[in-house]
Amino acid sequence: MGSFSSPHFVIFPFLSQGHTIPLLHLSRLLRRRSVVVTLFTTAGNSPRIRASLRDTDVSIIEIPFPQNIDGVPPGVENTDKLSVESSFLPFARATEQMRESFEEALETLQPPVSCVVSDSFLWWTAKSAQKIGVPRLGFFGTGNFSATMYQILGRFRPHAGVDSVDEPFPMTDFPEVKLTRNDFEPPFGDINPSGPFVDFMMENGFISMGMSDGLIVNSFYEMESRYVDYWNKNLGPKAWNIGPLCLAAKPLPESKSTGYLQWLDEKWEKKEPVLYVSFGTQAEISPEQFLEIAQGLEKSEVSFLWALKSKDLDFLEPEFESRVKGRGLVAKEWMDQLKILQHEGVKGFLSHCGWNSVIESISAGVPILAMPFMAEQHMNARFVAEEVGVGLRIMPRGGTVRGHVAAEEVEMKVRELMGGGKVAEEVSKTAAAWGGAAHAAMQEGGSSWRSLDLLIDGMMGKFTD
């Protein structure tokens, strides 16, 4: 790395847990490279962030979140607390009202700011960085495969000739990748997508991406090299793969006092492999679908640890826990997902395929049972099952990728992944191999390590490529 002194990176995560956590890991990574780090957030999000970074000297600045937003409940400063999907857009658009406070703070920071790293949903920060004359890097919370497929769809419209939402078509420049319109989050799979969210992404996401000096991607080059190379040659701006960022997390304490960890230890001692089940914080699961998942898990006769959101507990049959007692544990407390995935007794992950969960599972070498619900999760499920072979796909009824999943399908795929047969052995072996590659990428001299060095030099004006 170059001989410059005190580079200063400003980090501004979008106000959502899934978007914030990787950037907290990035803050740690940058501090280890002697970069000064200042992180921006709001008063409502600050306590959790301060607790996460309390063992570091990352500076945290709170700026006020706008009040009285139409469509957003009073006092909500994080999307995890939005009760309906329709609140997301007014919430995201309202963040622009933070711009003046953000820019005032940027002007006063010492040492002077070298670079702004901000979430792609905070599109207006690109203008703020431009105003003070520093580079801005957008943070992409998705992988390279997903981002590339969405860009190809929008630019080249390879789906224009298909009649059905379930009819496969080859992707431009990747003819071996066959997707359907249903693989894309509505309305983006439409021939001419329109609507408020499409407008938001076009006006803000893509314009600010074009104004940015690069993108930080929470992935590593070896796993997605074709898509990284394609993006950097044909799409842009440059994608810097410096992950898996979860491998920069604070080392986990050795204490095993937590109930669910004790339970995992007991299962491991008895040589009973455990399936971890979690669908993240954002996915909305219908009561009917929830019951099918519960029935499938119960009938599978596999040991499982199910992380449940408090509102989902209402859907669970009162007798469910007693029926699976000793084999299944329903956790109603906050759980450390990384620690669970790294537990030697956890041999599978039934997941919604949010990118954080995918990359954390791959880093831990744990195979995935993909059951996507929203956003780019269907694309991530394709990636898991078809691109890198680290898992299996749970499919809805009726030959579609989007729809209701039956209990029988859940039961069958859980047994297939956890039963120790040929398929299970293969995906477990592949997951373990990619887990090793992920760790190698983050170690000194690895691809992600080198990319971060080049990125820091580049933002300090020393990148010449």
Side-chain angles (χ1 to χ4, degrees):
M1 204 157 73
S3 58
F4 53 79
S5 62
S6 301
H8 185 176
F9 277 49
V10 160
I11 310 281
F12 199 163
F14 185 62
L15 309 172
S16 173
Q17 272 304 94
H19 290 244
T20 299
I21 290 168
L23 289 181
L24 300 184
H25 299 328
L26 174 62
S27 300
R28 289 180 178 276
L29 263 185
L30 289 168
R31 282 303 298 130
R32 289 174 200 163
R33 301 293 219 284
S34 302
V35 174
V36 178
V37 178
T38 301
L39 191 141
F40 279 79
T41 190
T42 68
N45 290 282
S46 176
R48 201 182 262 179
I49 288 172
R50 289 181 190 278
S52 174
L53 295 175
R54 64 178 173 268
D55 60 321
T56 73
D57 58 356
V58 171
S59 300
I60 296 163
I61 294 179
E62 297 169 19
I63 55 177
F65 189 77
Q67 301 300 305
N68 306 316
I69 308 161
D70 249 4
V72 178
V76 171
E77 295 185 10
N78 191 294
T79 63
D80 296 7
K81 292 186 169 65
L82 294 176
S83 56
V84 290
E85 239 177 86
S86 58
S87 297
F88 175 81
L89 268 186
F91 180 94
R93 287 191 181 278
T95 62
E96 190 171 16
Q97 294 174 44
M98 302 162 73
R99 182 177 169 183
E100 190 177 339
S101 305
F102 179 59
E103 289 174 0
E104 283 173 6
L106 284 181
E107 299 279 7
T108 63
L109 290 178
Q110 291 298 325
V113 177
S114 313
C115 176
V116 171
V117 178
S118 57
D119 194 281
S120 298
F121 280 144
L122 300 174
W123 73 96
W124 46 271
T125 53
K127 298 171 187 172
S128 302
Q130 208 171 55
K131 186 175 177 182
I132 64 164
V134 299
R136 183 255 184 168
L137 295 170
F139 172 66
F140 247 25
T142 65
N144 300 278
F145 173 73
S146 169
T148 301
M149 293 303 116
Y150 268 88
Q151 282 285 308
I152 286 174
L153 191 85
R155 292 190 187 202
F156 304 117
R157 294 161 50 90
H159 59 321
V162 300
D163 299 318
S164 160
V165 291
D166 293 312
E167 183 183 340
F169 55 87
M171 294 299 286
T172 307
D173 295 331
F174 295 96
E176 72 288 359
V177 177
K178 304 284 197 305
L179 299 177
T180 71
R181 284 163 54 190
N182 255 340
D183 283 303
F184 298 86
E185 180 69 359
F188 291 97
D190 294 351
I191 304 301
N192 294 297
S194 62
F197 193 65
V198 175
D199 294 343
F200 173 77
M201 293 302 291
M202 292 304 296
E203 292 163 21
N204 304 319
F206 295 129
I207 290 171
S208 71
M209 187 166 70
M211 287 173 64
S212 299
D213 297 87
L215 297 169
I216 287 178
V217 185
N218 184 14
S219 187
F220 58 104
Y221 179 76
E222 290 79 3
M223 186 171 70
E224 300 194 84
S225 56
R226 293 177 66 213
Y227 305 104
V228 180
D229 291 344
Y230 182 86
W231 181 281
N232 287 338
K233 185 180 176 185
N234 301 287
L235 300 171
K238 182 178 174 66
W240 300 89
N241 281 255
I242 57 171
L245 292 168
C246 60
L247 294 181
K250 181 182 177 182
L252 301 167
E254 285 305 305
S255 163
K256 295 192 176 180
S257 58
T258 317
Y260 64 85
L261 290 176
Q262 284 180 341
W263 186 83
L264 285 174
D265 290 342
E266 289 163 13
K267 286 287 174 191
W268 177 239
E269 284 164 16
K270 294 176 187 171
K271 297 291 180 246
E272 294 176 13
V274 173
L275 175 73
Y276 172 53
V277 184
S278 174
F279 300 111
T281 55
Q282 299 285 301
E284 292 291 329
I285 305 175
S286 71
E288 297 78 17
Q289 182 63 83
F290 190 88
L291 284 173
E292 297 278 355
I293 295 167
Q295 286 172 22
L297 288 171
E298 184 178 346
K299 290 176 181 173
S300 72
E301 299 182 345
V302 163
S303 295
F304 63 89
L305 171 61
W306 192 356
L308 272 185
K309 295 184 293 223
S310 54
K311 64 180 179 182
D312 290 339
L313 287 170
D314 299 338
F315 303 153
L316 208 59
E317 292 176 325
E319 308 81 24
F320 177 79
E321 287 182 79
S322 59
R323 292 200 303 264
V324 299
K325 193 171 181 182
R327 179 170 65 80
L329 180 65
V330 176
K332 299 151 192 173
E333 59 191 306
W334 178 85
M335 296 201 301
D336 188 328
Q337 178 162 294
L338 263 181
K339 193 156 192 167
I340 290 166
L341 289 169
Q342 289 168 6
H343 194 284
E344 53 199 349
V346 172
K347 301 299 183 185
F349 181 11
L350 172 50
S351 171
H352 63 306
C353 284
W355 185 249
N356 286 343
S357 290
V358 168
I359 201 77
E360 286 174 6
S361 202
I362 288 172
S363 301
V366 174
I368 298 167
L369 258 186
M371 188 173 175
F373 292 96
M374 58 179 282
E376 90 294 353
Q377 293 166 10
H378 287 79
M379 203 62 65
N380 295 341
R382 287 270 189 193
F383 179 76
V384 160
E386 298 171 18
E387 286 291 312
V388 284
V390 296
L392 307 176
R393 180 78 180 266
I394 290 183
M395 295 301 286
R397 290 188 179 106
T400 179
V401 295
R402 196 177 289 270
H404 192 78
V405 172
E408 295 76 21
E409 170 76 357
V410 175
E411 176 191 353
M412 182 180 73
K413 287 294 167 60
V414 167
R415 285 175 182 264
E416 191 174 8
L417 184 73
M418 302 296 288
K422 189 177 178 183
V423 172
E425 279 179 25
E426 195 158 315
V427 293
S428 295
K429 188 177 171 185
T430 305
W434 280 121
H439 282 261
M442 288 292 281
Q443 286 166 2
E444 185 166 0
S447 61
S448 294
W449 177 287
R450 296 194 308 272
S451 284
L452 184 58
D453 278 353
L454 282 171
L455 182 152
I456 294 167
D457 277 353
M459 295 308 108
M460 296 299 290
K462 293 181 177 287
F463 187 71
T464 56
D465 187 11

